[in-house]
Amino acid sequence: MSQVFHRAITFACILAMCVVVLGAYTRLSNAGLGCPDWPGCYGFLTVPNELHEITAAQIQFPSSNLEPRKAWIEMIHRYFAGGLALVVLFIFIVIVRSNQRQAPKLLAASLLVMICFQALLGMWTVTLNLQPFVVMGHLLGGFTILSLLTLIYLRTERKQIDYESNARVCLKAGVACLCVLVFQIALGGWLAANYAAPHCTGLPLCSNGELFSWSSLLKIPESASTYEYGVLPFETRLSIHLVHRIWAAVTALAIVMLAFVVHIKIQQSMIRRAANLVLLLVLMQVAIGAIIVHFQFPILLTLFHNLMAALLLLALVRVCYFLSRAKKVMI
């Protein structure tokens, strides 16, 4: 692949990260329904601002209250997402038309399918009025797109990685950690989709933790005209948040063990440094989570928490990729 194409993939990775962060900001600023329709806003390509546009919007959507700030937050997120879709289409076309035997065509096809499905999730997020399962799926879709782009970047980067006899064992541990982390991200998405963050105060456990119950975790949101600000009972939201905290400890412990195993069994400094980065990120993420609770969930810190989750996932994907390359005997 050419240097220009590699830069395009780098740009796509950065753009995808921006889309994830903008999506998190849209959710945290309660702007998910800033535009009641999709893909436009009140029937327009931009937020209505002229008097005749506002009048038309009020007639067409009488049950919605036009708030320009929230509408612009939502539309900027959509503009960036649309730009990412075009870049991904370009990447897909270039890879598919490539004559190189090692071109990651399956990854490119998976990425394109994921982009299309993510667009559907974005539409359903609005048309189903922030249904929590859809909102959580939309978040996971964004993280999946980031991961696929990262894998394509790593495949086209082609760093030299030598064979390691213990790489297979370490890779199994890495994949296990990846599963643990993805579950933790899903819990975070479920927490955010149900507006459960403020329902668990105090550290390290909830100050009103006696309300926790495993049975309440089985409750799912009932049918409602809108799911904005959440519909689940208080004890269910508290339980969701507390489980997220408990699993964060499990995730941190799993990653600490992975880093320890990599340092014992792997000789290559590049893989060790990659494992060190994951360890650093997970420790920072736990600290940021505690700070967020202490300061009562400020939006910028919470947004940074989302960004750190994405970086942590990508760093762990990178470790697993390096280990997968290291287990192959080069002939």
Side-chain angles (χ1 to χ4, degrees):
M1 297 291 176
S2 67
Q3 190 68 23
V4 173
F5 179 69
H6 192 66
R7 288 175 181 172
I9 297 175
T10 304
F11 173 72
C13 291
I14 296 171
L15 185 57
M17 186 66 76
C18 291
V19 171
V20 167
V21 171
L22 286 170
Y25 184 68
T26 301
R27 185 172 62 255
L28 292 169
S29 58
N30 301 316
L33 295 179
C35 297
D37 52 341
W38 188 94
C41 190
Y42 288 91
F44 298 91
L45 292 177
T46 62
V47 178
N49 61 349
E50 300 291 339
L51 181 59
H52 69 279
E53 294 177 341
I54 295 173
T55 302
Q58 290 173 339
I59 293 173
Q60 189 173 0
F61 300 93
S63 60
S64 298
N65 181 29
L66 174 59
E67 298 181 61
R69 177 180 172 275
K70 290 185 177 182
W72 272 116
I73 291 172
E74 172 64 9
M75 285 308 294
I76 289 171
H77 171 58
R78 293 183 190 179
Y79 294 150
F80 272 76
L84 176 62
L86 293 176
V87 175
V88 166
L89 180 60
F90 167 75
I91 290 172
F92 171 77
I93 292 172
V94 172
I95 290 177
V96 168
R97 295 182 63 184
S98 172
N99 294 323
Q100 295 184 15
R101 186 173 60 87
Q102 295 182 337
K105 295 182 179 180
L106 181 59
L107 280 175
S110 300
L111 178 61
L112 186 63
V113 170
M114 195 64 230
I115 279 285
C116 295
F117 184 58
Q118 183 73 342
L120 287 174
L121 287 171
M123 179 185 69
W124 294 332
T125 297
V126 175
T127 57
L128 297 179
N129 295 314
L130 305 180
Q131 211 286 339
F133 284 109
V134 176
V135 173
M136 182 181 69
H138 196 47
L139 179 142
L140 291 175
F143 278 58
T144 302
I145 289 168
L146 260 176
S147 299
L148 290 171
L149 278 169
T150 300
L151 286 172
I152 293 174
Y153 175 88
L154 292 169
R155 283 283 300 273
T156 56
E157 191 180 30
R158 293 185 180 177
K159 281 190 175 181
Q160 179 62 40
I161 301 175
D162 298 326
Y163 172 72
E164 293 272 358
S165 59
N166 294 313
R168 189 178 297 275
V169 174
C170 293
L171 178 59
K172 289 180 180 179
V175 171
C177 278
L178 195 58
C179 293
V180 170
L181 177 59
V182 169
F183 185 67
Q184 173 66 0
I185 292 171
L187 283 173
W190 187 239
L191 182 154
N194 287 286
Y195 299 83
H199 291 69
C200 179
T201 57
L203 288 168
L205 302 177
C206 304
S207 56
N208 45 1
E210 68 277 0
L211 296 176
F212 174 83
S213 70
W214 291 106
S215 60
S216 68
L217 289 169
L218 301 177
K219 291 185 179 179
I220 60 175
E222 297 179 357
S223 179
S225 57
T226 179
Y227 298 90
E228 191 171 21
Y229 306 114
V231 297
L232 289 174
F234 184 93
E235 61 272 15
T236 301
R237 300 197 218 187
L238 179 144
S239 300
I240 291 170
H241 190 149
L242 189 53
V243 168
H244 178 63
R245 290 195 196 180
I246 294 170
W247 198 255
V250 174
T251 304
L253 180 60
I255 290 176
V256 168
M257 292 175 64
L258 173 64
F260 179 72
V261 170
V262 167
H263 273 270
I264 289 178
K265 295 185 175 294
I266 300 297
Q267 301 301 317
Q268 294 178 68
S269 60
M270 182 176 64
I271 301 178
R272 287 185 170 189
R273 288 196 300 270
N276 287 343
L277 177 61
V278 176
L279 179 60
L280 176 63
L281 288 173
V282 77
L283 294 177
M284 289 177 61
Q285 182 72 327
V286 171
I288 292 167
I291 293 170
I292 287 171
V293 174
H294 178 74
F295 287 104
Q296 298 296 305
F297 313 100
I299 187 169
L300 289 180
L301 269 178
T302 307
L303 186 64
F304 187 58
H305 193 56
N306 280 263
L307 173 62
M308 287 295 294
L311 292 175
L312 177 58
L313 175 64
L314 300 187
L316 187 52
V317 166
R318 181 167 169 256
V319 170
C320 291
Y321 174 78
F322 286 167
L323 290 171
S324 70
R325 291 283 304 277
K327 76 180 180 65
K328 296 177 180 178
V329 179
M330 303 302 293
I331 301 175

